[in-house]
Amino acid sequence: MASSGVALAEPIVLPRRLNWRKVASLTRSYLALAFYLFIAVFPLIWMLMTSLKDDADLVDATVSPFWFHKPLAFNHYVYLFTRTSFVQWLQNTFLIAGLTLAITLAVCIPGAYALARLDFFGAEKLGVGIFMTYLVPPILLFLPLSRLVAGGLHLGNNKLALVLVYPTFTIPFCMWLLMGFFKRVPRELEEAALVDGCNRWQAVCRVVLPLTMAGILTVAIFAFTLAMQDFLYALTFTSSSSEKPLTVGVPTELIRGDVFFWGELMTAALVAGIPVAILYNFFLDYFIEGITGSVK
Amino acid sequence: MVDNSLTRRQMLRLGALGVVGAVLAACGGTAPAASPAASKPAGSAAPATSAAASGKPAASPSSSAKPSAGAASLQGAQLRVLAWSHFVPAYDKFFDQFVKDWGDKNGVKASVDHITNTDIPGRAAAEVAAKAGHDLIGFNGVGQLQRRFKSSLVELDDVVQYAVNKLGKVFRFGEAYNHFDDHWYGFPEFYIAIVPLVRNDLFQSVGEDPAKVTTWDDYRRVGQKLKPKGNPGGFAISHCNDSQHNWQSIMYSFGANWVKDDGKTSNIDTPEMREALQWMTGFYKDALTPEVFAWDDTSDNRWLASGQGGYIHDAISSYRSIESSNKELFEKISIQPIVKGPKAALNRPDTNNMIVWNFAPKQNQEAAKEFLKFYTDQMPTVLLKESLGYNMPMFDSLFKKPMTVLGPDPKLAALQDYKGDDLTTIGFPGPPTTEAINFESNYVFSDMVGIAVRGNSKDAIGDAIKFGQEQFAKFYPK
């Protein structure tokens, strides 16, 4: 009985004070999280609502814009998929981003490894130099690049021009990022692999790459999204609807002078954003580990 | 036993050859294709009253695209056109087919690409840098870069002369954009009238007859009455094109200009400019609301479409959009004549002028010129009709009443008087020089209006003038 009395007394007195503090603390945390969640999710909700609103509802200034005042309208989706080349632009975007990603990784993995590990003369300065090229803004580069790509290589109005151009900004950034990941791998692990009979190639493939997978995935996501979101180069090097990526195709056909097709614009942004969001979600753990963690 | 296995070295060689082959094949094969969007039934924000929108071959581009006189020499040429994305999607569909049909009849591989009008200058700069790209481009709105790119343009004297012989003289503002240094460097295709779009019912509700509201002072008076009722006017004061053409129309109508007719000397610090800015300040306070500082080019359209706006001053695109989305509201809206100021009734429209690159292959240049001549022949029937009255001609003889589309429609009839010397250019009364275009595209005058109307100091007008003078020195270097 006594023991049960003690057991009863504990949750009645002490935990109450502790719970109160805990509740207050949790409330603060959740409020802060809710605030950031709202900021993060609001654009998506707004896009979704706009994509489903009737045009008359969109411009009615007498009602709250935060809810629907007419029946849901799917005409923006129908218009986007049946009366524009949206699917073609989506395909172009993924093709361009995918090829850019492949080129970026093919160049950056050996390049960054060499700069981080092989200790040749000037490696560090070369690494910094490569990163510095990333800092040159596209607005300065698109004219000379157009002379080279459209004038010299005759790749004007060709989506492959973008596959050629995008690595000029994905490689410097990703190379610099990957160098950091490779430097985190202890040399001793690689040396142990060499001692155990691996050659350099095998040591990289069997030891270094698996240990830097989080970094490589982080770089892959960066490269993919950088290639997906470019506008200026896409405008410079593509003009036919069949060659345009989303970033140029959508505003071209849905912004007509001073008439913006808001419903269709938001639909396009939403539909194009979903695959990227899913991609991020799949690799979220790796991504967080890549940008925050180290080799375990 | 034969060893069929590959060494690592052989494997790498084969792989490298394969990659090189694939890249070469991929790079060589993409010919400029006609827009797939153009081949689809484009929807329209505008009503299906046009032949283009209804799918009827109104202008019969196929049948009218007869081989031109010089068709034999054009065989095998290409014609790649870059045009803005027209606010009437059906017009783009019509124009794409119009160009293609002409090309088919003349043995020219012809296609049209469309991009947003504000992106055309950047694209044009890239093509000049590359010395490659399209053959024929429509310079739209503020992007009148004829003088900037003069050294890359084909002289179109023969084409414009052909058009003048057929369609009459070019309006002053069309000539100002395209004719300089004794040559025509651009073909005046069309202009976009900027008109007062007013709510008849709201005007009448405050005892005003829309037909008798003709001056800027009248509009201010009506605004004074409508604003307390929650129906103010809608004139953007911000970094957008609407802000530019609206306030410039007012400025010119007050006899003020930012540059003298030599196109070089500042005319900002003048009594006329002070009077104009003073009037604008009063107009803003009486008839507008602070939200106009955050407006873009679409905001006034939405304002009118919302049913709250008393009046706006813009292209008829908003009028046409409302026609298709809200018939009831559409019936209450009318288009008014050019508004008179104390000194003049001047209007600053946007224009679309076509240029031909001189770095395009010679055969393509000839194809472009031949197409422009063919376009000239068709202009009287296609220009206004297919664009629902949006593409206003810049040739005098096309303004004989009743004009196509505009004449028979009482609501559009006022557009027939938007012509001649009442229409002005960027940098009026000087020529639309590169300096004027830069001054314009950096929104200096809109900023001057903003400084004046916000009234953040005792001498806000003086501040606006001072700001304008500083910017003038920057954009018009001596």
Side-chain angles (χ1 to χ4, degrees):
Chain A
M1 288 294 286
S3 63
S4 66
V6 172
L8 281 172
E10 276 177 356
I12 292 168
V13 186
L14 285 175
R16 266 198 174 175
R17 286 180 63 197
L18 283 174
N19 278 349
W20 180 245
R21 279 185 193 164
K22 203 171 177 180
V23 166
S25 166
L26 279 174
T27 306
R28 279 197 299 272
S29 301
Y30 277 108
L31 277 177
L33 279 174
F35 175 70
Y36 285 111
L37 186 69
F38 177 76
I39 289 174
V41 174
F42 181 75
L44 288 170
I45 294 172
W46 190 255
M47 281 195 282
L48 181 66
M49 286 183 67
T50 308
S51 74
L52 292 170
K53 271 190 182 180
D54 184 83
D55 278 336
D57 199 3
L58 276 174
V59 296
D60 191 346
T62 59
V63 296
S64 165
F66 297 103
W67 197 241
F68 298 89
H69 305 280
K70 290 184 185 291
L72 294 186
F74 294 94
N75 54 315
H76 304 310
Y77 287 83
V78 173
Y79 185 95
L80 189 70
F81 282 99
T82 61
R83 296 191 175 190
T84 72
S85 304
F86 180 73
V87 175
Q88 173 80 61
W89 303 329
L90 204 59
Q91 285 172 355
N92 290 347
T93 298
F94 282 112
L95 177 72
I96 293 163
L99 288 174
T100 303
L101 170 63
I103 293 172
T104 304
L105 290 182
V107 173
C108 286
I109 291 174
Y113 176 80
L115 289 170
R117 271 288 189 267
L118 299 188
D119 294 333
F120 57 84
F121 176 73
E124 196 167 328
K125 284 179 183 166
L126 187 61
V128 173
I130 288 171
F131 177 66
M132 293 297 276
T133 62
Y134 177 71
L135 302 180
V136 182
I139 195 79
L140 290 182
L141 291 176
F142 85 100
L143 287 180
L145 267 177
S146 65
R147 186 170 298 183
L148 185 71
V149 176
L153 299 174
H154 303 292
L155 281 176
N157 192 31
N158 191 327
K159 52 183 168 281
L160 287 178
L162 301 179
V163 176
L164 205 63
V165 168
Y166 287 167
T168 62
F169 60 82
T170 57
I171 286 176
F173 182 68
C174 294
M175 182 94 78
W176 175 77
L177 213 58
L178 268 181
M179 278 169 62
F181 290 117
F182 284 130
K183 280 181 180 170
R184 286 184 200 168
V185 179
R187 275 179 190 274
E188 291 76 12
L189 292 176
E190 211 176 331
E191 285 164 1
L194 292 171
V195 168
D196 286 345
C198 287
N199 58 27
R200 175 74 72 175
W201 176 254
Q202 288 168 325
V204 170
C205 290
R206 293 181 182 182
V207 177
V208 180
L209 291 186
L211 286 172
T212 50
M213 194 46 73
I216 291 170
L217 283 172
T218 305
V219 161
I221 289 173
F222 269 120
F224 194 80
T225 46
L226 279 174
M228 269 191 87
Q229 69 192 24
D230 166 72
F231 176 76
L232 188 57
Y233 289 136
L235 175 71
T236 306
F237 297 116
T238 61
S239 50
S240 295
S241 200
S242 59
E243 298 295 313
K244 287 174 186 171
L246 273 174
T247 47
V248 172
V250 168
T252 292
E253 297 229 0
L254 301 175
I255 296 177
R256 294 177 167 275
D258 59 355
V259 177
F260 283 35
F261 289 55
W262 285 113
E264 288 79 3
L265 282 166
M266 291 296 163
T267 307
L270 189 70
V271 174
I274 287 170
V276 184
I278 292 171
L279 195 70
Y280 265 95
N281 202 40
F282 272 141
F283 300 116
L284 194 60
D285 292 341
Y286 285 110
F287 187 63
I288 292 168
E289 188 185 327
I291 58 174
T292 60
S294 58
V295 176
K296 290 171 185 167
Chain B
M1 186 176 167
V2 180
D3 184 7
N4 286 330
S5 64
L6 290 170
T7 64
R8 192 177 59 186
R9 202 171 287 258
Q10 285 170 323
M11 185 78 175
L12 283 173
R13 274 187 195 145
L14 278 173
L17 279 171
V19 168
V20 169
V23 169
L24 286 176
C27 293
T30 312
S35 160
S39 65
K40 291 176 181 172
S44 172
T49 49
S50 83
S54 62
K56 292 175 190 168
S60 299
S62 311
S63 58
S64 58
K66 291 171 186 163
S68 63
S73 64
L74 301 179
Q75 287 292 329
Q78 280 201 350
L79 177 62
R80 287 191 58 206
V81 184
L82 181 66
W84 72 314
S85 298
H86 199 283
F87 101 94
V88 181
Y91 183 81
D92 282 350
K93 186 189 167 198
F94 156 77
F95 189 70
D96 295 353
Q97 194 61 41
F98 181 72
V99 172
K100 187 177 179 303
D101 287 346
W102 174 85
D104 290 345
K105 288 276 163 64
N106 289 279
V108 176
K109 191 175 179 183
S111 63
V112 185
D113 297 327
H114 297 275
I115 59 174
T116 312
N117 58 341
T118 49
D119 293 330
I120 289 177
R123 174 77 201 197
E127 295 196 359
V128 168
K131 301 283 179 210
H134 295 83
D135 306 302
L136 183 65
I137 297 188
F139 281 170
N140 186 282
V142 72
Q144 300 302 322
L145 303 171
Q146 289 89 325
R147 285 170 174 81
R148 171 72 182 80
F149 292 138
K150 178 192 160 192
S151 62
S152 298
L153 301 182
V154 171
E155 292 165 6
L156 297 173
D157 298 338
D158 53 337
V159 177
V160 178
Q161 190 55 52
Y162 178 87
V164 168
N165 292 342
K166 287 245 172 189
L167 308 174
K169 68 170 188 172
V170 181
F171 287 149
R172 178 181 68 178
F173 74 106
E175 185 170 347
Y177 280 117
N178 298 300
H179 186 255
F180 50 93
D181 298 343
D182 299 326
H183 292 289
W184 288 88
Y185 289 96
F187 178 83
E189 188 191 3
F190 66 85
Y191 83 90
I192 302 158
I194 305 300
V195 301
L197 294 157
V198 311
R199 279 283 300 277
N200 294 340
D201 57 328
L202 294 177
F203 272 45
Q204 285 155 1
S205 73
V206 293
E208 297 282 356
D209 178 0
K212 290 179 181 168
V213 177
T214 57
T215 68
W216 284 114
D217 279 333
D218 290 342
Y219 278 93
R220 183 174 169 183
R221 185 186 68 245
V222 177
Q224 267 178 319
K225 296 177 183 176
L226 288 176
K227 188 175 173 181
K229 293 183 68 183
N231 303 112
F235 285 52
I237 307 176
S238 58
H239 284 195
C240 70
N241 191 40
D242 286 355
S243 175
Q244 305 273 64
H245 57 57
N246 287 342
W247 297 105
Q248 282 172 33
S249 293
I250 298 173
M251 170 177 70
Y252 295 154
S253 299
F254 273 74
N257 324 92
W258 73 64
V259 65
K260 290 187 175 168
D261 55 9
D262 62 3
K264 295 173 184 168
T265 313
S266 171
N267 203 34
I268 291 173
D269 194 359
T270 59
E272 289 84 4
M273 181 65 86
R274 287 176 185 275
E275 188 194 351
L277 290 170
Q278 191 69 53
W279 186 91
M280 290 169 190
T281 305
F283 179 59
Y284 164 74
K285 285 177 182 157
D286 293 342
L288 308 178
T289 53
E291 64 192 274
V292 297
F293 292 119
W295 275 13
D296 59 29
D297 284 331
T298 69
S299 304
D300 59 343
N301 296 4
R302 288 201 303 275
W303 184 230
L304 194 65
S306 73
Q308 283 202 288
Y311 55 87
I312 65 170
H313 190 250
D314 203 356
I316 63 164
S317 44
S318 50
Y319 172 84
R320 288 299 192 192
S321 300
I322 294 167
E323 183 180 14
S324 62
S325 63
N326 191 339
K327 285 276 181 198
E328 193 184 338
L329 179 61
F330 171 75
E331 294 303 328
K332 297 172 183 169
I333 297 170
S334 67
I335 294 171
Q336 298 296 313
I338 294 178
V339 187
K340 295 171 192 158
K343 298 280 171 61
L346 291 171
N347 186 271
R348 212 285 272 152
D350 288 319
T351 58
N352 200 77
N353 302 291
M354 300 193 106
I355 59 92
V356 182
W357 292 134
N358 63 14
F359 49 77
K362 283 284 175 202
Q363 211 181 9
N364 296 7
Q365 293 179 27
E366 287 308 311
K369 289 167 100 173
E370 285 302 319
F371 168 73
L372 286 177
K373 287 178 183 172
F374 166 74
Y375 190 14
T376 299
D377 295 339
Q378 304 300 316
M379 218 170 239
T381 50
V382 303
L383 196 65
L384 279 164
K385 190 168 190 176
E386 301 300 332
S387 66
L388 307 173
Y390 190 83
N391 295 2
M392 300 284 286
M394 287 194 261
F395 292 95
D396 189 45
S397 78
L398 294 178
F399 273 79
K400 284 183 185 139
K401 292 181 182 176
M403 290 170 72
T404 315
V405 179
L406 312 182
D409 185 341
K411 295 182 82 173
L412 294 172
L415 285 171
Q416 296 176 109
D417 295 317
Y418 277 75
K419 62 178 182 178
D421 289 351
D422 292 346
L423 306 172
T424 62
T425 60
I426 296 165
F428 175 81
T433 57
T434 303
E435 291 79 10
I437 300 294
N438 287 341
F439 193 87
E440 167 95 358
S441 55
N442 281 278
Y443 303 101
V444 177
F445 187 66
S446 286
D447 286 345
M448 284 175 64
V449 176
I451 292 167
V453 305
R454 278 201 307 271
N456 287 342
S457 73
K458 284 183 181 172
D459 185 18
I461 306 286
D463 290 345
I465 299 272
K466 186 171 171 243
F467 171 79
Q469 291 281 53
E470 287 168 1
Q471 296 300 308
F472 188 92
K474 196 166 126 188
F475 289 105
Y476 286 82
K478 285 182 179 169

